[in-house]
Amino acid sequence: MFENIIGQDVVRDQLKKALEKKNLPNAILFTGEPYAGKLTTALELARAITCRKEGFWECDCKACRSHRMVVNPDMVILGNRYFISEIKASADLLVRTRALFAQFMFIRNIRKLLKRFEPMIWEGMEKKLSRYTSSLSRLSENLEILDPGKELPPDEELQKVIDDTISLARNLVPAVPATIPVDQIRNLSKWAHHTSSGTDKIIILEEVDKLQESGSNSLLKILEEPPAHVTFILTAERKGNIIPTILSRVRAFDFKPRTPEISHMILQKLYRIDQEKMTLKDYFQEWSDLDYTFLKGHVRNFLDAAFTRGSITDLDDLFQFMDNNRDKTILKNFLELLSVEIHMRFREDPELYGTVSGQTLLKKVLKEINTSHTNSEVFNQNSLFLLECLFYKTRDIYEAFC
């Protein structure tokens, strides 16, 4: 049980103990930064809850088999994540190794995405879902070709199937809402309350810290009187963005950031990559469709302009890029890179970094960056507007310091 959870020993032991003592609550919250293993643990916990034997990874019971392939009909997953990075990284592993475990990993990553398209979730929104029927059908056909019970096709044919699968997945990703809509949470509530006695059902909600007020209130209603035989597993990056009334109804498990040593172990063991200084975040960013080199360059331009009383017109290329790519994850990644860059600049300037006023300046800018992130993810404010506001506020803070 939990054999595939690497580097989160405290959480793993707490969950095993709760299962053994049969006192696991039916509402759980996993908090921690991206790439900490929250969804992997949630999927493993779902398997352990529904297992009719001892919960070992190789268990051959019907529930365990379906959970390993992420096809259990009594499990629902909602929320957004870095789908394409995971899919492309596991596709590369499958092509390089042609190993059975790589088949499982690639198929699981595709099905993490497909789980967001269960018809029940889209009740009342069938017209929108119908646009993706063809892609969903073709993806299922490709997964049949890659089924672990079958022999893999020759290299050239395998590459074609994988390329087509990635392309189809890429078509589906924009349909996954950046924030779980209230309508989908209401549909979950209906599904949960229709649970027949004796059937364990699992609801996994990712990024609940990004829920809008209506979504949070709808989720709270379910958690106030949770149905029997339903376990809610919530994940979040920022615990402080979750309303207190939801926090009071869950048991929280905090995931530590993956250390460089743990990251190296995971990359070596799971992805057959031997890069000692590469973090998991760096690795998945390499597989992202997003051009991180472009963003990093404009992060530097942003701070250069803000710290030299420059003009916002110096950032025209960045704003044009943001305008052409209306994706909330781009702003999120830009803000994360901005935080890293400003920390690095302060560390490289000991005279500034070591002073009280310098530390105050750093805290103020970081606070504005966090506010921009919250306004984007929680309140769904426009990325261009937030970026412009952040530029002027950062410039004003620096001018006041000087």
Side-chain angles (χ1 to χ4, degrees):
M1 191 185 300
F2 301 109
E3 297 96 327
N4 60 336
I5 308 304
I6 303 173
Q8 298 294 349
D9 295 353
V10 173
V11 171
R12 179 199 63 201
D13 293 344
Q14 288 174 338
L15 291 173
K16 286 179 69 174
K17 186 175 180 180
L19 285 169
E20 290 166 359
K21 292 189 173 183
K22 301 185 184 303
N23 65 358
L24 186 77
N26 62 354
I28 297 162
L29 172 66
F30 292 162
T31 62
E33 64 180 30
Y35 317 102
K38 299 188 295 296
L39 180 58
T40 300
T41 306
L43 291 172
E44 178 64 354
L45 178 58
R47 188 188 66 80
I49 290 171
T50 57
C51 179
R52 292 297 173 256
K53 296 185 179 180
E54 296 179 355
F56 296 118
W57 174 252
E58 297 296 338
C59 177
D60 64 352
C61 78
K62 182 179 179 181
C64 283
R65 291 199 306 271
S66 63
H67 273 293
R68 280 196 294 269
M69 298 303 291
V70 198
V71 293
N72 190 291
D74 293 321
M75 178 178 71
V76 177
I77 311 175
L78 284 183
N80 215 319
R81 66 185 287 106
Y82 40 95
F83 297 107
I84 295 300
S85 296
E86 284 185 317
I87 290 169
K88 288 169 68 176
S90 57
D92 172 72
L93 177 68
L94 178 53
V95 170
R96 282 190 287 114
T97 66
R98 296 180 63 91
L100 183 61
F101 81 93
Q103 282 179 264
F104 271 103
M105 187 182 296
F106 182 68
I107 290 171
R108 277 171 62 90
N109 285 334
I110 293 293
R111 286 189 171 143
K112 288 177 191 176
L113 172 61
L114 292 180
K115 269 292 179 181
R116 273 71 172 182
F117 292 86
E118 298 281 358
M120 170 276 299
I121 297 170
W122 293 80
E123 186 177 335
M125 299 172 279
E126 290 85 357
K127 185 176 181 180
K128 182 177 180 180
L129 181 61
S130 66
R131 303 173 197 166
Y132 303 97
T133 302
S134 176
S135 293
L136 290 168
S137 177
R138 287 173 57 194
L139 264 179
S140 296
E141 292 172 4
N142 286 355
L143 292 185
E144 283 293 322
I145 296 173
L146 300 173
D147 187 278
K150 300 178 181 178
E151 184 177 350
L152 283 174
D155 290 349
E156 186 175 346
E157 183 181 345
L158 174 63
Q159 187 66 63
K160 287 181 180 178
V161 173
I162 287 177
D163 289 345
D164 185 53
T165 302
I166 293 172
S167 178
L168 292 169
R170 192 177 281 117
N171 292 340
L172 292 178
V173 168
V176 181
T179 301
I180 304 173
V182 64
D183 289 342
Q184 292 192 346
I185 295 178
R186 288 170 180 160
N187 287 339
L188 277 183
S189 179
K190 295 177 189 176
W191 179 78
H193 283 91
H194 289 164
T195 303
S196 59
S197 178
T199 301
D200 291 311
K201 289 197 173 185
I202 312 293
I203 295 177
I204 300 175
L205 301 180
E206 292 200 88
E207 299 189 322
V208 294
D209 50 333
K210 297 177 183 177
L211 287 175
Q212 296 184 17
E213 183 178 359
S214 57
S216 293
N217 291 336
S218 184
L219 176 59
L220 178 60
K221 288 180 182 179
I222 310 175
L223 296 179
E224 285 176 337
E225 295 183 14
H229 308 298
V230 179
T231 300
F232 293 84
I233 307 175
L234 317 180
T235 76
E237 181 180 353
R238 297 164 183 260
K239 189 175 179 179
N241 286 348
I242 302 173
I243 60 175
T245 44
I246 287 181
L247 289 177
S248 68
R249 287 167 172 80
V250 300
R251 182 187 297 179
F253 295 83
D254 298 323
F255 284 63
K256 297 187 301 183
R258 290 281 180 50
T259 64
E261 293 75 21
I262 294 297
S263 291
H264 179 237
M265 182 191 306
I266 292 171
L267 290 174
Q268 198 172 45
K269 183 176 181 179
L270 298 184
Y271 292 94
R272 302 299 191 262
I273 298 293
D274 191 11
Q275 295 283 349
E276 291 189 13
K277 295 184 179 180
M278 178 177 281
T279 66
L280 287 173
K281 185 174 183 178
D282 291 336
Y283 181 67
F284 284 114
Q285 282 183 354
E286 285 192 355
W287 289 107
S288 171
D289 283 348
L290 186 60
D291 186 349
Y292 277 88
T293 301
F294 174 89
L295 280 188
K296 288 177 181 177
H298 282 282
V299 159
R300 291 188 286 271
N301 292 343
F302 184 95
L303 287 179
D304 287 343
F307 288 175
T308 58
R309 299 180 179 84
S311 168
I312 199 166
T313 58
D314 297 333
L315 306 174
D316 282 348
D317 289 347
L318 173 61
F319 277 86
Q320 186 64 49
F321 176 78
M322 291 282 191
D323 193 37
N324 292 337
N325 298 274
R326 303 297 182 90
D327 185 342
K328 291 287 186 183
T329 60
I330 295 177
L331 179 64
K332 175 185 176 182
N333 285 296
F334 181 85
L335 295 176
E336 288 176 352
L337 293 170
L338 189 63
S339 295
V340 171
E341 176 70 17
I342 194 168
H343 268 117
M344 185 183 70
R345 291 195 182 199
F346 272 68
R347 284 194 299 269
E348 289 176 349
D349 187 350
E351 292 185 5
L352 178 63
Y353 190 66
T355 64
V356 174
S357 56
Q359 285 291 312
T360 301
L361 167 63
L362 177 62
K363 289 178 181 178
K364 285 185 176 180
V365 175
L366 291 176
K367 182 180 178 181
E368 292 299 335
I369 293 173
N370 287 333
T371 299
S372 298
H373 183 276
T374 299
N375 288 340
S376 172
E377 301 289 350
V378 179
F379 300 109
N380 200 31
Q381 291 187 5
N382 180 273
S383 296
L384 295 177
F385 169 75
L386 291 173
L387 199 60
E388 183 175 353
C389 290
L390 179 61
F391 173 78
Y392 285 119
K393 287 178 180 177
T394 302
R395 193 175 69 175
D396 289 346
I397 291 170
Y398 191 77
E399 286 182 353
F401 170 77
C402 294

